[in-house]
Amino acid sequence: MSASALKLTVGARTLVSFPRRLVRVAWSLEQVLAGTRPALPLLAQADDGYLVTSVPHTVQLEADGLRFVRQRYTRYYVNLAGGREAWLTALSGQARSGLKRKAKKLAAANGGMLDVRGYRFPEEMAAFHPLARAVSKTTYQERLLGSGLPEDADALIAASRADQARAWLLFLGDAPIAYLWCGADGDTLRYDYVGHDPAHQALSPGSVLMAAALDDLFADRFRWFDFTEGEGQHKRGLASGGVACRDELLLRATIANRAAVMAVGGFDAAMVVAKRWSEAPALKRFAQHVRRA
């Protein structure tokens, strides 16, 4: 059970929030691929409902009350069991050339060497954490979204002790500029915590680090790499497959919940229209003129 909220957001800014007690039920990648439904636990009296994430678009949830789809996206993944060559072959020519170009550019900025270091064992994870935290403090994930690398290293080290974690750092000179920490779920490794120093954005450190991590993982024990919920160009570019999914709210049919769903649904619909209008050529030119003025 977790405290949550239905939010009206523009970018990273929350305009209005409707606090709700929601039980989060997350589909794992293996459940998404197999269509195996996770069980919905019983709600406590104080709970307002469920937030069910990564529901495949072909699956209809069976529950009473209000239903509300908050977002739709493709859940991307990499089939590690197929091998590195099969993965590379499946990528577009543009994606392959882009990876080579970005790696070459970053290596050139680092004296001709691409310095990516992997971390797996507890003592390695203890060394990884303060270095990665230094990077995380600079990222928008931590500053705007509150999803930076945890300040407490205990859970990360415990996961590595159970062989349920992998991590990487990308260095420029003696300083780390990007990090990736992944937790495991059986044969699947998840894309849990990631970030890079925005001062080095021009060197594409996140993309370079992700490609290097995947290179390592083709020789590891995992079958799948799970990019988890949400879209992103980097996910599309590196994935070997994807499943159309949605995040769905299942709420008790109370007056307060009906009002919140109507407000959020109306706002989301308005934002879709606004985005469509903003992409019209005439409005784009007007917006550019306003910014220049």
Side-chain angles (χ1 to χ4, degrees):
M1 176 170 36
S2 62
S4 188
L6 304 183
K7 299 178 181 181
L8 310 187
T9 60
V10 177
R13 177 178 295 180
T14 298
L15 304 179
V16 180
S17 179
F18 301 95
R20 289 294 182 273
R21 287 174 61 90
L22 302 175
V23 176
R24 188 174 188 271
V25 180
W27 288 54
S28 70
L29 178 63
E30 292 189 9
Q31 288 171 329
V32 168
L33 293 173
T36 305
R37 308 180 187 206
L40 295 179
L42 292 176
L43 294 176
Q45 186 173 358
D47 293 334
D48 291 294
Y50 305 95
L51 169 60
V52 190
T53 62
S54 285
V55 183
H57 81 285
T58 56
V59 175
Q60 181 67 31
L61 296 178
E62 298 176 0
D64 297 327
L66 302 175
R67 296 173 177 270
F68 179 60
V69 175
R70 193 66 213 270
Q71 64 173 336
R72 299 182 186 273
Y73 51 86
T74 299
R75 182 154 177 177
Y76 290 104
Y77 61 88
V78 175
N79 179 7
L80 299 170
R84 182 177 184 274
E85 293 307 314
W87 168 67
L88 282 173
T89 300
L91 298 182
S92 69
Q94 182 179 6
R96 290 195 300 270
S97 63
L99 290 176
K100 291 180 181 179
R101 174 176 48 79
K102 291 173 182 177
K104 184 176 180 180
K105 182 178 180 180
L106 204 151
N110 198 42
M113 180 181 70
L114 195 60
D115 188 1
V116 177
R117 306 177 194 179
Y119 303 81
R120 175 174 178 173
F121 301 107
E123 61 275 14
E124 295 175 341
M125 205 63 72
F128 162 86
H129 183 262
L131 296 171
R133 275 295 305 153
V135 178
S136 183
K137 291 176 183 178
T138 71
T139 65
Y140 78 90
Q141 287 95 338
E142 178 157 330
R143 290 185 292 104
L144 298 179
L145 305 179
S147 58
L149 189 74
E151 293 187 14
D152 189 344
D154 289 350
L156 310 187
I157 295 172
S160 68
R161 187 173 293 115
D163 193 30
Q164 297 293 306
R166 300 289 187 271
W168 294 265
L169 285 170
L170 172 63
F171 284 79
L172 185 63
D174 295 328
I177 62 171
Y179 77 92
L180 173 64
W181 189 92
C182 302
D185 181 13
D187 293 335
T188 302
L189 196 67
R190 299 184 311 271
Y191 186 68
D192 283 340
Y193 299 107
V194 60
H196 66 267
D197 187 337
H200 302 288
Q201 174 68 32
L203 295 174
S204 305
S207 297
V208 173
L209 180 58
M210 186 69 253
L214 286 173
D215 270 346
D216 286 349
L217 289 174
F218 284 109
D220 210 318
R221 68 175 181 84
F222 301 102
R223 180 174 182 180
W224 309 101
F225 183 84
D226 179 13
F227 280 112
T228 68
E229 295 93 350
E231 299 263 1
Q233 178 58 43
H234 62 296
K235 297 182 180 183
R236 289 192 295 272
L238 295 174
S240 55
V243 179
C245 292
R246 68 186 186 275
D247 289 352
E248 187 166 349
L249 287 162
L250 305 174
L251 302 175
R252 297 184 191 274
T254 65
I255 294 176
N257 285 341
R258 289 183 187 277
V261 166
M262 288 179 64
V264 175
F267 179 82
D268 286 351
M271 291 303 296
V272 169
V273 173
K275 181 179 179 181
R276 188 179 302 127
W277 285 355
S278 70
E279 292 172 350
L283 289 175
K284 277 189 175 181
R285 289 194 297 271
F286 175 75
Q288 291 168 357
H289 174 75
V290 171
R291 285 195 295 268
R292 286 195 297 268

